[in-house]
Amino acid sequence: MTSATAAASAATKSWPHDIYEVLKQFNVRQVPYVPDGGHAELISLIHADPQMRGISLTTEEEGIALLAGTALGGDRGVLLMQSSGVGNCINMLSLIKTCRIPFLTLVTMRGEYGEFNPWQVPMGSKVQACFELMDVQVLRARTPEEVRPTVAAGAAMALNGNTPTAVLLSQQLVGAKVFVK
Amino acid sequence: MPKSNRLERRKVVARLVRDRKELVVVTSLGSPTYDLADAGDHERNFYLWGAMGGAGVIGLGLAIAKPEIPVMVVVGDGEMLMGMGNFATIALQAPKNLTIVVLDNELYGETGSQTSHTSAGADLGTIASGSGIKNVLRVNTQAEVEELAVRVNSVGDGPTVAIVKIAAGDDKRVLPSRDGVWLKTRVQASLGTLPA
């Protein structure tokens, strides 16, 4: 790649790529996830990186428990999920609080801006409240430009400051899922 | 096997940790935590008092971070029934240094000894195999406990799930620390993984 094309590619990097770079910068190694369309590009980048370990879960609360083990063993980790998984995590968040486990999660939002599927709305609309009930700080990114600084702020709080933090990636950013008959 | 001939949980756990060197042990809430405390406190014991359904994957995160250290997770049948997905998640990562020991008395002993699903045919060994776990052992005799003790203290042939059918029993509660931050920090100090 010439320096001109490298510069052009840097200028057009996607927000998932920005997240990937922040995770690298913070030396994140284990990335448990329940897949979501909004996280697909990031998950691919993680699996392609030999320094990182993408860990597919059967349910989101497994990721919380896994991160406790990650911390015991001295690795850094970040949990990826979509908004409907947040409710699954409530009781397991006790582990984060009781053992003071470093906790950062990046949540792609459904059930808010332009949502076609009403079944996503009850949980999606309560995501922030659920996290706050369990004393997880909530940050939000609404535009592609906001993603890098917001994820970096969340990572600094969670991984350097040990303040449990969730970054919500708004549906304006992810886009409403298009259902085609 | 008739229930009267079953292994005793306290003796099994005590034997598994008797010759420990590098081993880290995670126990699920309730009896497994008391069993491990009864075998003797240790800086590499991580006792759970909650987080039901998460014990196996706590072991997984640790096993991935420290592949050279053997990790054993001791759970009851109730814990493992709640966290059955753990088997599939562990199988996919295939850590060579992780063993899950299921002490199966077919009861929810902590809450009044209600019968669990394993009393009526749910077979956690078959569920583990069907989830892709490479080694599933059935441990019913003292000789098999001896073999398991070697395996849990070594690295290289995991992941393993051992199903140990145990007597119902009524062991005295032995209560270790409930201070999660202290327990975490103690393990990290022992492993040299305290955050800078």
Side-chain angles (χ1 to χ4, degrees):
Chain A
M1 193 184 283
T2 66
S3 60
T5 54
S9 136
T12 56
K13 268 181 191 164
S14 61
W15 60 263
H17 202 278
D18 288 344
I19 296 177
Y20 170 70
E21 289 181 355
V22 172
L23 299 187
K24 293 292 283 179
Q25 182 194 329
F26 279 84
N27 212 10
V28 169
R29 180 151 181 270
Q30 296 191 33
V31 186
Y33 65 87
V34 173
D36 178 54
H39 275 317
E41 183 181 343
L42 177 58
I43 290 168
S44 296
L45 289 166
I46 287 160
H47 278 296
D49 185 334
Q51 304 302 316
M52 299 176 98
R53 180 89 168 240
I55 301 170
S56 185
L57 308 167
T58 65
T59 178
E60 291 80 1
E61 66 263 39
E62 281 185 347
I64 312 244
L66 183 117
L67 290 177
T70 302
L72 288 175
D75 273 356
R76 283 181 159 188
V78 169
L79 172 62
L80 310 182
M81 62 178 145
Q82 74 162 270
S83 49
S84 52
V86 173
N88 295 346
C89 294
I90 295 290
N91 180 52
M92 202 61 85
L93 285 167
S94 309
L95 180 62
I96 299 299
K97 199 168 176 176
T98 311
C99 298
R100 233 186 301 139
I101 303 295
F103 179 66
L104 176 64
T105 184
L106 309 179
V107 182
T108 46
M109 293 302 296
R110 296 280 313 270
E112 46 177 35
Y113 192 84
E115 180 62 60
F116 164 87
N117 180 353
W119 295 51
Q120 286 279 356
V121 176
M123 187 67 242
S125 61
K126 298 297 180 207
V127 159
Q128 181 156 354
C130 279
F131 276 131
E132 286 172 352
L133 272 172
M134 293 307 281
D135 295 323
V136 176
Q137 301 299 307
V138 178
L139 307 179
R140 188 182 265 274
R142 288 184 180 78
T143 65
E145 295 72 29
E146 284 178 349
V147 172
R148 180 188 288 271
T150 309
V151 174
M157 289 164 70
L159 304 179
N160 293 344
N162 215 353
T163 298
T165 303
V167 175
L168 310 188
L169 302 164
S170 291
Q171 197 157 3
Q172 288 105 309
L173 188 67
V174 176
K177 188 169 178 176
V178 180
F179 288 82
V180 182
K181 229 175 150 180
Chain B
M1 165 172 297
K3 288 193 177 183
S4 56
N5 294 340
R6 285 189 179 180
L7 292 162
E8 294 173 42
R9 62 187 308 144
R10 289 275 160 95
K11 287 183 181 168
V12 171
V13 173
R15 177 63 192 95
L16 296 180
V17 299
R18 188 188 75 192
D19 303 321
R20 67 191 291 179
K21 293 186 176 67
E22 296 293 306
L23 182 70
V24 182
V25 187
V26 178
T27 53
S28 69
L29 78 165
S31 297
T33 278
Y34 314 146
D35 295 338
L36 185 64
D38 184 60
D41 191 31
H42 192 284
E43 60 189 5
R44 295 193 177 188
N45 287 356
F46 191 65
Y47 311 103
L48 296 174
W49 287 88
M52 191 164 173
V57 281
I58 292 175
L60 176 63
L62 174 54
I64 290 172
K66 281 279 172 200
E68 72 283 11
I69 303 274
V71 177
M72 173 171 72
V73 181
V74 183
V75 299
D77 44 306
E79 161 77 25
M80 214 59 241
L81 285 162
M82 188 174 284
M84 285 196 297
N86 283 209
F87 287 142
T89 297
I90 290 166
L92 186 58
Q93 299 305 318
K96 294 186 187 311
N97 54 333
L98 178 63
T99 306
I100 311 282
V101 176
V102 183
L103 301 174
D104 183 2
N105 60 3
E106 305 175 0
L107 294 170
Y108 290 95
E110 190 65 17
T111 53
S113 292
Q114 299 85 353
T115 54
S116 90
H117 310 60
T118 61
S119 71
D123 180 349
L124 288 165
T126 304
I127 292 164
S129 304
S131 304
I133 296 289
K134 187 176 146 204
N135 305 297
V136 175
L137 309 177
R138 309 277 179 173
V139 176
N140 296 302
T141 67
Q142 189 56 37
E144 289 163 342
V145 174
E146 299 294 326
E147 288 170 25
L148 181 60
V150 174
R151 179 178 284 265
V152 300
N153 283 286
S154 57
V155 166
D157 192 33
T160 298
V161 171
I163 309 295
V164 188
K165 286 284 184 179
I166 51 156
D170 188 24
D171 296 303
K172 185 169 173 290
R173 284 184 181 165
V174 179
L175 309 182
S177 172
R178 278 142 284 158
D179 185 336
V181 175
W182 183 76
L183 291 166
K184 174 196 71 172
T185 305
R186 188 171 69 151
V187 172
Q188 289 175 325
S190 173
L191 291 173
T193 58
L194 279 170

